[in-house]
Every structure is written in structure tokens, then in C-alpha cells.
Amino acid sequence: MSAAEADWTSAVGLLAAYDEVVLACHVGPDGDALGSMLALGIALRDRGTKVRASFGSEPFEVPAAYTGLPGLDLLVPVAQIPEAPGLLVIFDTGSIDRLGALADRVPAAADVLVIDHHVSNTRFGTVNLVDVDAAATAVVVVELLDRLGLPLTAEIAAPVYTGLVTDTGSFKYAGTTPAVHELAARLLATGIRHDLISRDIWDNASFGYVQLLGAACARAVLEPAAVAGLGLVWTTVTDADLTATGLALSDVEGVIDVVRTAREAEVAAVLKHDPADGWLKVSTRSKGAVDVGAVCGSLGGGGHRFAAGFTSGDDIDGTLDQLRAALAAAPHLPV
Ligand code: AMP
Ligand code: MN
Ligand code: MN
């Protein structure tokens, strides 16, 4: 469902009332989180607003796929974000804890505008623009720009396109509606280099990543009986993998995209050891018969129906046992 008309009016009112805004997105920002945030950030700066944008990841680094995006100069480290912002606008973030080191700015801000599309969104803003039918948060941002009467320039279209291709898996996933393609056409018409944007996102691995991917795939485990007979495929990314290749956790998000292609399994999972806190970051994907968003929700995480995650302080065996149990109990959806 799209956001209510009253929420759109309130959101437009908030953005008109402030001449200084703070923008934030979820930790470990992906193309939609970063793209949505930079797109609105550029548009607001172009109209004369002071904009500071950030995300609460340690270390504070933009993943290589997005280092070519316009608007990165709006980014400042968490320490330079005011402790009590006037207007705080939050992108692609279903709950406060997903803001990491910026979570404490939410209760401190005078106004909080949440722009998102997660089904699991907890509506933690004073105004919430949450459209659970939107293919990406970037789609909601474009509607907001239109309602604000701000032009969709090529500089803004590039990060919007980044959000759109990231969250639709290059227009492959369910939810890629005619409107998504119409928006893509509108973005391309601004003259953006969609080929270079896609290359930066999808075809931009370091050699170390190719080696890590090989190692992770080589030790993947297929459990045909799991998920009540629909099958589970899982693997791990260890500290040793990251050390051997010099990669950060944010560099290995794509491992799940390869593991999930195994047709023998309905559900895929990648358990990544986070060297920063020792916890496991678990990514899950389903092909459409299981709501992994609900499964991960029951394990303290969240996400979308077919792409979701959770974090676990348990070890690999314990975490897998919890995941197997939750998957075995999950209802099967009609595909
Ligand atoms: P990932 O597997 O990290 O690409 O995440 C897939 C989806 O699940 C994204 O929409 C994330 O926002 C969401 N997600 C991942 N981890 C968590 C978590 N710990 N809590 C809530 N949502 C999560
Ligand atoms: Mn995201
Ligand atoms: Mn998103």
C-alpha cells in the first residue's frame, strides 16, 4: 500500500519548513539506501537547503560499487552529525536499530521523516512515507520529488537508478511492475550512463572477491530435506576469508546472489562473521515459496518476503539450528 495522502502532505510540509536537514540510511548501505539518500540530498541542496548525510557503519566507507555516484560530497562521518537534528530524514530503514551508530539521533531529533518500503517497517518517524508495494525506496523518493516540484536531473537520476536496479535485481524480481520500467525509462531519458552504473554494481569484483566466492561456494552445503523438503543451501564467510583477501564485510554481500542460484534449494543462506563485533550476519533468500522476511523476523531480524536477514550472537551450528527450525515451520506460499 502506498503512503496515505495525509502523510505525503506532512512530508512535503516538513521539507518546506526546514532549511537544514540531516539524512541517514541503514548500516552497510546498499544501492537503494545510499541511492535514495543521495538523490533527495542532491535535490534539496540544489534548492538551497543545507544537507548532511551519513550512515552508522564502522568503518565509515562507501562500498566500491557506489563510489562513482554523484552527491557523495554530502556524506559526513557520524561524529559530524548533530546530536539533536532539527529534521532527520531516514531512508530504506525498517527499524531504529538498523541505523547503528546513528540510532540515538532518532529520539533526539525534533522531526523524523521515514521514507521506506520494508513490510517490516515499524513506523518510527513523526511522519512515515512507507510504501510496501514500492520496488525500492528510490521509487518513493521520486514521487516525493515530484510532489515537491523539484526537477529530476541526471545527477539525481543516477542514484535513483542505482536504487532501482539494486532492489529489483536488474529488473528480475517479482515487483518489477510496468511502473518500474516506466520510471527506468524516465531516468534513462535524463541521459544517465546506465551501462556504467550497472557495471559498477554488478561487474566490479576484485580478484580477491572472485577467490573468496570460490572458497565460499566450494564449502556450501545442500540440505534437501530442510524447509520441509523444499531444500536449503547455505555457506559461510569467515574471518580467515576476509583476512586472506583483504575484503570487508560490505564487499561480500554478493555471495548470496550466487549461492541462491542452486535450483535444488528453495532457500539460500550465507552466514558472515563480522570481525567488528564477532556476531554472525545472516543473509537469506527464497525463490518465492517461503516468506524469509517472516522467518528472519522471528529470529530478531527482518527484511522483505524473499530477501531478508538477521544477526546472531550464537555460533554457526547454533544459528543454523535456529534457522532450520524456523524454516521447517514456515508456511509454503503459492508461487
Ligand atoms: P541482505 O541479506 O543483507 O542483503 O539483506 C536483505 C534484506 O534484509 C534487506 O532488505 C535488509 O534491509 C534486510 N535485513 C538484513 N539484515 C537485517 C537485520 N539484521 N534486521 C532487519 N533487516 C535486515
Ligand atoms: Mn536496503
Ligand atoms: Mn530497499
Side-chain angles (χ1 to χ4, degrees):
M1 267 260 301
S2 174
E5 204 52 42
D7 295 324
W8 284 110
T9 308
S10 306
V12 168
L14 275 183
L15 289 167
Y18 283 90
D19 53 17
E20 186 175 333
V21 298
V22 169
L23 313 183
C25 66
H26 66 72
V27 289
D30 52 27
D32 191 32
L34 211 48
S36 307
M37 179 166 82
L38 296 177
L40 189 66
I42 295 167
L44 293 177
R45 179 176 61 187
D46 285 354
R47 74 155 196 199
T49 304
K50 178 176 179 189
V51 177
R52 277 172 288 194
S54 193
F55 51 87
S57 303
E58 303 282 345
F60 180 72
E61 262 169 31
V62 174
Y66 313 121
T67 50
L69 283 178
L72 291 178
D73 51 317
L74 297 170
L75 291 176
V76 297
V78 169
Q80 289 175 38
I81 293 293
E83 281 175 18
L87 176 58
L88 176 63
V89 188
I90 295 169
F91 301 81
D92 201 42
T93 303
S95 54
I96 294 181
D97 57 298
R98 296 276 296 149
L99 288 171
L102 281 170
D104 62 355
R105 303 317 200 266
V106 174
D111 282 298
V112 179
L113 171 59
V114 168
I115 306 178
D116 190 29
H117 67 133
H118 286 88
V119 191
S120 56
N121 190 287
T122 58
R123 270 76 173 175
F124 57 95
T126 47
V127 176
N128 300 286
L129 285 182
V130 179
D131 182 352
V132 299
D133 294 327
T137 297
V139 175
V140 188
V141 165
V142 171
E143 180 165 356
L144 182 58
L145 293 179
D146 289 344
R147 286 175 181 257
L148 286 164
L150 299 176
L152 186 63
T153 62
E155 217 193 4
I156 295 166
V160 169
Y161 190 83
T162 298
L164 199 60
V165 285
T166 307
D167 271 25
T168 61
S170 282
F171 308 106
K172 280 189 308 191
Y173 301 156
T176 307
T177 58
V180 165
H181 283 289
E182 274 157 16
L183 174 56
R186 191 177 158 201
L187 299 171
L188 262 51
T190 66
I192 56 167
R193 286 295 302 271
H194 62 89
D195 55 334
L196 299 184
I197 292 173
S198 289
R199 190 199 297 173
D200 280 351
I201 298 172
W202 309 111
D203 304 330
N204 188 20
S206 66
F207 182 65
Y209 176 75
V210 174
Q211 290 184 305
L212 181 147
L213 183 64
C217 289
R219 64 172 169 259
V221 177
L222 178 66
E223 300 185 11
V227 201
L230 295 181
L232 168 70
V233 60
W234 64 269
T235 192
T236 53
V237 174
T238 64
D239 274 350
D241 294 324
L242 297 176
T243 310
T245 51
L247 295 172
L249 213 57
S250 60
D251 298 322
V252 300
E253 273 169 24
V255 173
I256 187 78
D257 294 324
V258 177
V259 174
R260 73 175 186 86
T261 61
R263 67 164 173 248
E264 292 85 350
E266 163 64 28
V267 175
V270 175
L271 291 74
K272 295 167 283 191
H273 196 254
D274 188 343
D277 58 14
W279 279 50
L280 287 171
K281 305 274 183 287
V282 184
S283 289
T284 64
R285 301 289 185 269
S286 102
K287 295 198 166 71
V290 172
D291 182 347
V292 288
V295 167
C296 291
S298 76
L299 298 172
H304 307 284
R305 271 200 305 167
F306 307 135
F310 65 99
T311 55
S312 169
D314 210 337
D315 60 8
I316 288 171
D317 286 343
T319 302
L320 274 172
D321 282 345
Q322 289 177 44
L323 180 61
R324 285 191 196 99
L327 287 170
H332 296 179
L333 309 169
V335 181

